């Protein structure tokens, strides 16, 4: 039964280990992708790439990585940057807590370690946002340390090589696979071996329809031998995203648009966006919840028409958004987390994708130039 494989780790035979090492590294030397973070062994560059690659495809990351590194080529330059600058440079990659954690951790590296990324496993693991995989990747690739780096690709490859049915979402499975990886890593090329495992998972040992005929270690793979590669790895399905009804406000005064910074903790924490509230189920008029929320802050919001609706999926939430138009007198004082921004300056702000969708909806609306009228769009 899936997820119930509790067999203890049994060290593979030495001949098997040597065959896997030789075949995998030979394949990697001939097929490795030319990626910008592989230009050298700079631990800072490797660190940034590994953080960006979390939850994001390689092809997507490359242009963002190159732009980010052009802005912050050293730990010192990233540490000296304002958080808003860092978030703006990260814009479009999503999961913005990664950028904030990286910024915080790099500041610590500069303040505590003189700008040198620590090569001690305990020290690097204490940095904010650096988990076991990221630490292993930096230590093995940059510092040539024989430390496991088990990501989703490696989980998949090892589960098939050893025909293991352990649920890869479990912490105990991660520990087990890290020990397996540790047994396989060669002392002379630990970083290359870890990257080769990841590369094999990305290019050959894919989640669906693995290219077993092209695999350099097909003969050593137990799952291929048993014909069960399509069944592995075992992974418990997560809960579907919770649906949430939201209202966004396109609130203007003249040529200025109202932005609001979200709370520092939680979804999109600390990010700028359009004024937003969770819509009450009994809302009688579109935007009523938003208007009442602002009234509670002492601000008089005059509602206009509904601009449109959109949907956006996060890892644990699915937002169903109604975007409404509104006016707010500029002379009224704003809460500290709000500010008026000239509409033509919105591009200077690192708005999360869900808010960019809303802004684009306004800008693309066919009645955009008709001006504001109560109950009618623009």
């Amino acid at each position: 039964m899936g997820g119930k494989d509790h067999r203890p780790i049994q060290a593979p035979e030495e001949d098997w280990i040597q065959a896997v090492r030789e075949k995998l590294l030979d394949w990697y030397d001939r097929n490795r992708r030319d990626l910008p973070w592989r230009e050298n062994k700079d631990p800072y560059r490797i660190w940034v790439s590994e953080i960006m690659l979390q939850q994001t495809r390689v092809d997507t990351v490359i242009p963002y990585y190159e732009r980010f590194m052009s802005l912050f080529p050293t730990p010192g330059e990233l540490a000296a940057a304002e958080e808003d600058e860092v978030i703006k440079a990260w814009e479009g990659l999503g999961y913005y807590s990664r950028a904030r954690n990286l910024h915080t951790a790099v500041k610590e590296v500069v303040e505590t370690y003189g700008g040198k990324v620590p090569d001690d496993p305990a020290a690097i693991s204490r940095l904010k946002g650096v988990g076991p995989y990221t630490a292993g990747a930096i230590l093995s690739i940059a510092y040539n340390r024989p430390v496991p780096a088990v990501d989703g690709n490696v989980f998949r490859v090892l589960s098939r090589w050893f025909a293991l049915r352990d649920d890869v979402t479990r912490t105990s499975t991660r520990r087990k696979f890290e020990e397996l990886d540790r047994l396989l890593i060669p002392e002379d090329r630990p970083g290359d071996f870890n990257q080769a495992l990841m590369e094999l998972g990305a290019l050959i040992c894919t989640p669906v329809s693995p290219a077993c005929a092209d695999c350099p270690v097909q003969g050593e793979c137990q799952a291929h031998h048993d014909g069960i590669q399509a069944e592995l790895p075992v992974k418990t399905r997560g809960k579907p995203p919770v649906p949430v009804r939201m209202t966004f406000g396109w609130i203007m005064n003249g040529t200025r648009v109202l932005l609001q910074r979200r709370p520092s903790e939680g979804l999109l924490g600390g990010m700028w966006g359009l004024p937003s509230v969770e819509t009450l189920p009994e809302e009688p008029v579109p935007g009523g919840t938003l208007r009442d929320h602002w009234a509670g802050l002492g601000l008089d919001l005059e509602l206009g028409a509904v601009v449109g609706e959109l949907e956006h999926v996060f890892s644990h939430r699915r937002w169903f958004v109604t975007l409404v138009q509104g006016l707010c007198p500029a002379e009224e004082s704003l809460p500290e987390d709000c500010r008026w921004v000239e509409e033509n300056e919105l591009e200077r702000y690192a708005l999360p994708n869900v808010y960019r969708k809303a802004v684009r909806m306004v800008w693309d609306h066919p009645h955009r130039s008709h001006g504001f009228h109560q109950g009618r769009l623009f």
Side-chain angles (χ1 to χ4, degrees), residues 137-311:
I138 297 170
L139 291 169
S140 63
I141 300 169
Y143 293 121
N144 216 36
R145 303 282 290 274
V147 180
V150 179
D151 69 348
N153 287 318
V154 177
F155 268 128
R156 188 165 56 256
V157 171
L158 294 183
S159 70
R160 288 170 175 170
W161 279 2
F162 295 97
L164 295 174
R165 293 188 177 273
D166 301 65
D167 183 348
V168 297
T169 64
R170 296 175 180 268
T171 303
S172 59
T173 302
R174 169 173 289 280
R175 288 195 292 264
K176 182 174 183 176
F177 278 46
E178 285 173 346
E179 287 307 307
L180 276 174
D181 192 15
R182 198 184 303 274
L183 293 171
L184 304 179
I185 297 173
E187 290 284 341
D188 59 333
R189 297 183 66 185
D192 284 344
F193 185 83
N194 279 340
Q195 289 183 95
L197 274 176
M198 299 173 208
E199 201 85 332
L200 188 74
L203 302 180
I204 301 294
C205 197
T206 51
V208 179
S209 302
C212 296
D214 299 325
C215 180
V217 290
Q218 177 199 110
E220 286 69 36
C221 179
Q222 188 63 44
H224 176 73
H225 180 270
D226 296 344
I228 59 172
Q229 61 270 29
E231 302 172 20
L232 299 172
V234 172
K235 184 177 182 180
T236 301
R237 288 187 178 182
K239 296 179 181 178
V242 176
V244 181
R245 292 179 63 222
M246 299 289 294
T247 301
F248 291 178
W250 179 260
I251 301 171
M252 297 198 70
N253 184 276
T255 59
R256 298 186 299 174
V257 180
L258 188 62
L259 292 186
Q260 184 174 27
R261 191 189 289 273
R262 292 182 59 81
S264 58
E265 300 297 326
L267 187 62
L268 304 178
M271 302 291 294
W272 287 102
L274 300 178
S276 312
V277 294
E278 187 170 337
T279 310
L280 294 176
E282 66 275 12
E283 182 178 74
V285 182
T289 306
L290 186 70
R291 179 193 57 205
D292 294 345
H293 173 77
W294 282 93
L297 298 174
L299 299 172
D300 181 26
L301 174 63
E302 181 184 355
L303 290 179
V306 172
V307 181
E309 296 180 334
L310 62 93
E311 180 180 343

